[in-house]
């Protein structure tokens, strides 16, 4: 293979896997021994960097890495944290909230879920009323940025309501962590979940949990699954200085470490968030000029991914997608049950100049280019 074959054939304008840097891809070109100290040190370094970027102190919080895609980690948390005496309230406004309900149902975890509809944010007042009405609810789970639409839920307000009432807060911050500031400790979140291939800009293969150490320490022996037992995974990592319980995705771990170094070099989360915000702003401006409107009002829109409505009834997403792909960009179909939309991600190794080129391609395709 020569060097040009490593180059990407298109830019992924998707919410993960996303376009990574050459540095991240190159980090995968070596082999590592899982129980050697060099490798274990990398794991420990990743864990402490995650605590740091979650704005947590190592006295109160710990980070646990787990093999698999993001959903495996969601499942790991739900099946490790809730025992038979617990009851989970799931706050849904999209496919990822619904998926948590499926996980809970499959694992026979006592739960109830409430859907706010796909275009409404989770309402903290509703959560307060529900928790006041049902003291048997011990845990509440929600999605921070619903990747289904691009909606950001009011995390601070919701977690405040949950913690004020003494319940555990579980946050799926899969698509936002690393790309939006989240003060995990200040908010008092108990379990925050994300994965390698989203805003930290690594490649797929594992996910992680930033956990309140006391909350996690209570979970010994609760897990309904052996391989997804987050407590055991944590103990093994703690007691063996960064050893994973079972075979870990070594190349992916290395790429992730490199991605964390690059995040720090970029200026940390504030700098990355600014880049994503600027990407998203230029995207919407350019798409509006080409005749597309966004699904969500600006107030609820994340910088991560944006849903656009089909401009006409006879709009062919397939044709649009193929024309764009031919010019070097991959976008994302919609995932809404009710409205015809498609989505464009603004995260990954994508910069405002890429967005400018992208919207000019769109303008050319739809014939609005001046
Ligand atoms: C990506 C994502 C997940 C995990 O999906 P996987 O396909 O299992 O990686 C979960 N929740 C949200 C909000 C996501 O964006």
């Amino acid at each position: 293979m020569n060097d040009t074959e490593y180059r990407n054939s298109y830019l992924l304008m998707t919410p993960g896997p996303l376009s990574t840097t050459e540095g991240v891809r190159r980090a995968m070109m070596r082999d590592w021994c899982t129980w050697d100290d060099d490798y274990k040190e990398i794991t420990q370094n990743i864990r402490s960097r995650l605590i740091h970027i979650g704005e947590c102190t190592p006295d109160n919080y710990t980070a646990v890495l787990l093999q698999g895609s993001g959903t495996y980690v969601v499942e790991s948390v739900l099946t490790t944290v809730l025992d038979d005496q617990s009851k989970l309230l799931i706050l849904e406004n999209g496919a990822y909230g619904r998926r948590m309900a499926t996980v809970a149902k499959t694992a026979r975890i006592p739960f109830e879920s409430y859907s706010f509809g796909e275009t409404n944010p989770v309402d903290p007042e509703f959560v307060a009323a529900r928790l006041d009405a049902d003291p048997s609810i011990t845990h509440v789970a929600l999605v921070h940025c619903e990747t289904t639409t691009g909606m950001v839920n009011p995390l601070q307000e919701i977690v405040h309501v949950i913690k004020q009432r003494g319940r555990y807060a579980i946050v799926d911050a899969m698509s936002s962590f690393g790309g939006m500031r989240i003060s995990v400790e200040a908010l008092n979140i108990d379990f925050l979940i994300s994965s390698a291939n989203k805003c930290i800009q690594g490649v797929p293969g594992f996910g992680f949990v930033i956990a309140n150490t006391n909350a996690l320490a209570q979970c010994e022996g609760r897990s309904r699954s052996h391989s997804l037992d987050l407590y055991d995974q944590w103990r093994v990592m703690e007691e063996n200085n960064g050893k994973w319980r079972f075979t870990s995705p070594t190349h992916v771990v290395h790429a992730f470490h490199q991605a964390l170094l690059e995040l720090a070099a970029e200026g940390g989360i504030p700098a990355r968030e600014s880049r994503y915000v600027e990407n998203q702003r230029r995207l919407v401006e350019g798409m509006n000029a080409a005749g597309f409107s966004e699904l969500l009002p600006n107030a609820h829109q994340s910088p991560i991914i944006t849903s656009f409505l089909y401009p006409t009834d006879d709009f062919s997403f397939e044709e649009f997608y193929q024309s764009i792909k031919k010019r070097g960009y991959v976008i994302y179909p919609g995932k809404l049950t009710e409205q015809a939309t498609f989505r464009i991600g603004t995260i990954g190794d994508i910069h405002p100049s890429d967005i400018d080129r992208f919207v000019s391609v769109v303008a050319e395709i739809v014939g609005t280019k001046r």
Side-chain angles (χ1 to χ4, degrees):
M1 239 201 219
N2 64 40
D3 248 16
T4 53
E5 284 172 273
Y6 291 125
R7 229 170 268 154
N8 282 327
S9 44
Y10 39 69
L11 205 60
L12 293 172
M13 312 235 347
T14 54
L18 34 67
S19 292
T20 54
T21 63
E22 194 176 322
V24 166
R25 296 195 300 276
R26 278 191 191 280
M28 292 186 279
M29 300 305 291
R30 271 209 266 160
D31 302 316
W32 296 83
C33 174
T34 52
W35 45 259
D36 185 79
D37 285 343
D38 295 343
Y39 180 71
K40 292 198 301 189
E41 269 166 33
I42 287 162
T43 297
Q44 293 299 67
N45 188 274
I46 288 173
R47 294 178 68 209
S48 78
R49 281 174 188 271
L50 289 174
I51 296 295
H52 175 74
I53 61 180
E55 302 178 21
C56 298
T57 52
D59 286 347
N60 300 325
Y61 279 81
T62 186
V64 190
L65 318 181
L66 186 80
Q67 298 90 332
S69 84
T71 305
Y72 288 67
V73 188
V74 171
E75 183 150 350
S76 167
V77 170
L78 298 185
T79 55
T80 299
V81 167
L82 285 113
D83 62 14
D84 289 336
Q85 279 73 53
S86 312
K87 180 177 171 186
L88 176 66
L89 171 64
I90 300 171
L91 308 169
E92 289 179 25
N93 54 356
Y96 293 99
R98 273 199 300 281
R99 191 179 293 176
M100 289 204 275
T102 306
V103 167
K105 186 162 178 250
T106 308
R108 299 185 178 82
I109 290 167
F111 79 101
E112 72 178 40
S113 62
Y114 184 82
S115 171
F116 294 82
E118 287 169 327
T119 52
N120 303 309
V122 170
D123 175 9
E125 278 176 34
F126 171 87
V127 180
R130 202 58 216 104
L131 292 180
D132 290 340
D134 187 352
S136 75
I137 296 170
T138 50
H139 296 70
V140 183
L142 69 136
V143 177
H144 179 209
C145 170
E146 230 326 330
T147 321
T148 312
T149 51
M151 163 97 63
V152 209
N153 283 310
L155 186 64
Q156 187 171 343
E157 290 81 354
I158 301 163
V159 175
H160 179 71
V161 158
I162 298 169
K163 296 311 297 179
Q164 209 181 27
R165 287 164 179 74
R167 321 298 171 88
Y168 292 96
I170 300 170
V171 180
D172 169 350
M174 208 73 68
S175 63
S176 54
F177 186 76
M180 296 172 76
R181 264 196 68 185
I182 306 175
S183 305
V184 180
E185 184 162 0
L187 292 177
N188 202 2
I189 293 169
D190 295 287
F191 300 93
L192 178 129
I193 305 158
S194 188
S195 77
N197 61 287
K198 301 235 169 156
C199 297
I200 309 278
Q201 298 184 182
V203 302
F206 74 93
F208 55 87
V209 181
I210 298 179
N212 178 295
T213 310
N214 287 333
L216 181 57
Q218 291 159 18
C219 300
E220 182 173 9
R222 281 191 197 170
S223 183
R224 292 155 203 258
S225 156
H226 179 49
S227 55
L228 296 178
D229 188 336
L230 190 72
Y231 178 89
D232 272 5
Q233 182 87 351
W234 172 55
R235 289 321 307 163
V236 171
M237 273 186 185
E238 282 293 301
E239 285 157 20
N240 301 277
N241 302 315
K243 191 185 173 304
W244 296 51
R245 233 176 1 150
F246 308 126
T247 302
S248 60
T250 47
H251 301 79
V252 175
V253 169
H254 243 267
F256 190 72
H257 184 249
Q258 175 64 26
L260 283 168
L261 298 178
E262 293 181 10
L263 172 63
E266 184 173 349
I269 292 181
R272 181 152 297 176
E273 181 167 2
S274 304
R275 173 163 62 86
Y276 290 170
V277 166
E278 182 58 14
N279 282 349
Q280 201 270 344
R281 192 190 66 73
R282 290 196 198 195
L283 175 72
V284 168
E285 197 176 86
M287 290 297 283
N288 287 166
F292 295 92
S293 341
E294 37 320 2
L295 170 77
L296 297 178
N298 217 10
H300 307 316
Q301 174 64 53
S302 69
I304 309 297
I305 186 167
T306 308
S307 293
F308 292 96
L309 298 161
Y310 283 15
T312 54
D313 288 341
D314 61 355
F315 174 74
S316 164
F317 176 73
E318 185 54 28
E319 270 174 40
F320 184 62
Y321 175 90
Q322 293 300 345
S323 316
I324 290 180
K325 184 176 162 191
K326 253 188 243 148
R327 291 164 175 84
Y329 304 89
V330 164
I331 62 171
Y332 226 45
K335 205 174 186 167
L336 284 185
T337 46
E338 275 163 19
Q339 291 184 77
T341 57
F342 62 88
R343 294 174 291 170
I344 302 178
T346 34
I347 59 178
D349 186 34
I350 293 180
H351 301 264
S353 55
D354 296 312
I355 301 290
D356 293 347
R357 277 191 291 276
F358 171 79
V359 294
S360 134
V361 159
V362 170
E364 195 186 300
I365 290 168
V366 301
T368 55
K369 188 165 183 148
R370 279 170 293 167

